[in-house]
Amino acid sequence: MKSTIGPIMAAMLAASSLFCGEASAAPIVPDRPSLSTGPETLEAGIFQLELGTRFAGGALASAGFEGLQRFGLVPGLEFRVSSPLAVSGTSAFSSVSLGAKAQFLEGYLLSLGALGTVELSPQGPSTSQASLLATLGLPAGYGLTLNVGPSWSGASLDWIGSALLAYDSGDLWQVFAEVGRFQDPAGSALGWGADAGLQVLVSEDVGWDIAVLKGLSPEAPDWAVTSGFSVRWGSR
């Protein structure tokens, strides 16, 4: 039987080229689907859309939609708008998060940045978070990303953080595993979780991802699966 994989991949690449315009030299770098955020920012004039679905099971079962819009303002600075939606039983949890990410060091061995967000939710008080972002380049295609910072909700102050180990094949895919303390889209408390995932480069401007999470504390879901696409376009 004649293989159809080659024609299908060629059609996907052609469609993504028509949609995104001329490809750039550097491939797309999405922030999803991991808990951690890398320090890389978009170039000025670039828009990136990161969309996905998420299904969680166990005591905190929910299904939801994840959406993040990123805008490159000036070199080293981007503006971000996210709008997660989660449905658990007969309850719906939605919010809008506004943020900015800055990268102030870019190097082969060390990159540094900072991320600040304000989450506005009709279910409760707004939440503000600030994180220091760092990526360490390791031998043989490995990299370590660390996030740490405070989180304010009303009058309470807490801490969030994560550590991610990734392996980049240097071709079309990257795998990662991480552990972190985060706020679940369908919950109000911070919890611990560990996840692992895969990112696939469909084209230089289109990426697909999938990740599986295991909750490590009662505030996190027993398990969750998330998958989605990221698309980048704009003048370069």
Side-chain angles (χ1 to χ4, degrees):
M1 179 182 296
K2 184 178 179 180
S3 173
T4 60
I5 295 178
I8 292 175
M9 288 300 297
M12 292 177 64
L13 291 173
S16 63
S17 297
L18 289 173
F19 181 73
C20 301
E22 184 180 353
S24 63
I28 187 173
V29 181
D31 282 344
R32 55 164 299 109
S34 61
L35 304 174
S36 303
T37 300
E40 299 86 1
T41 57
L42 297 179
E43 300 176 15
I46 299 299
F47 172 69
Q48 189 161 302
L49 182 62
E50 305 182 8
L51 301 174
T53 55
R54 184 175 185 270
F55 299 92
L60 298 177
S62 66
F65 168 82
E66 303 170 337
L68 172 63
Q69 303 171 69
R70 302 170 58 186
F71 308 86
L73 300 178
V74 296
L77 179 65
E78 69 175 48
F79 177 68
R80 304 155 64 90
V81 180
S82 64
S83 52
L85 170 66
V87 178
S88 178
T90 58
S91 301
F93 305 85
S94 63
S95 63
V96 175
S97 178
L98 307 177
K101 181 164 69 167
Q103 182 174 12
F104 41 84
L105 178 63
E106 181 180 5
Y108 177 75
L109 297 178
L110 175 64
S111 295
L112 295 175
L115 173 65
T117 61
V118 176
E119 183 179 9
L120 307 175
S121 173
Q123 286 84 32
S126 62
T127 300
S128 301
Q129 296 180 348
S131 297
L132 177 66
L133 318 174
T135 295
L136 303 174
L138 302 177
Y142 287 91
L144 178 64
T145 296
L146 303 172
N147 292 179
V148 64
S151 175
W152 302 270
S153 181
S156 64
L157 174 65
D158 218 322
W159 290 86
I160 56 174
S162 60
L164 176 147
L165 180 64
Y167 171 73
D168 192 337
S169 68
D171 189 9
L172 297 176
W173 55 271
Q174 181 188 83
V175 292
F176 67 87
E178 68 180 329
V179 61
R181 191 168 190 240
F182 66 103
Q183 184 172 354
D184 189 76
S188 58
L190 297 174
W192 288 89
D195 67 349
L198 167 70
Q199 291 181 344
V200 177
L201 193 66
V202 179
S203 76
E204 287 185 336
D205 290 307
V206 179
W208 171 80
D209 61 71
I210 187 169
V212 178
L213 177 139
K214 177 68 175 72
L216 302 178
S217 69
E219 299 82 5
D222 292 343
W223 58 267
V225 177
T226 180
S227 182
F229 281 90
S230 300
V231 182
R232 175 184 65 178
W233 67 90
S235 59
R236 298 182 178 90

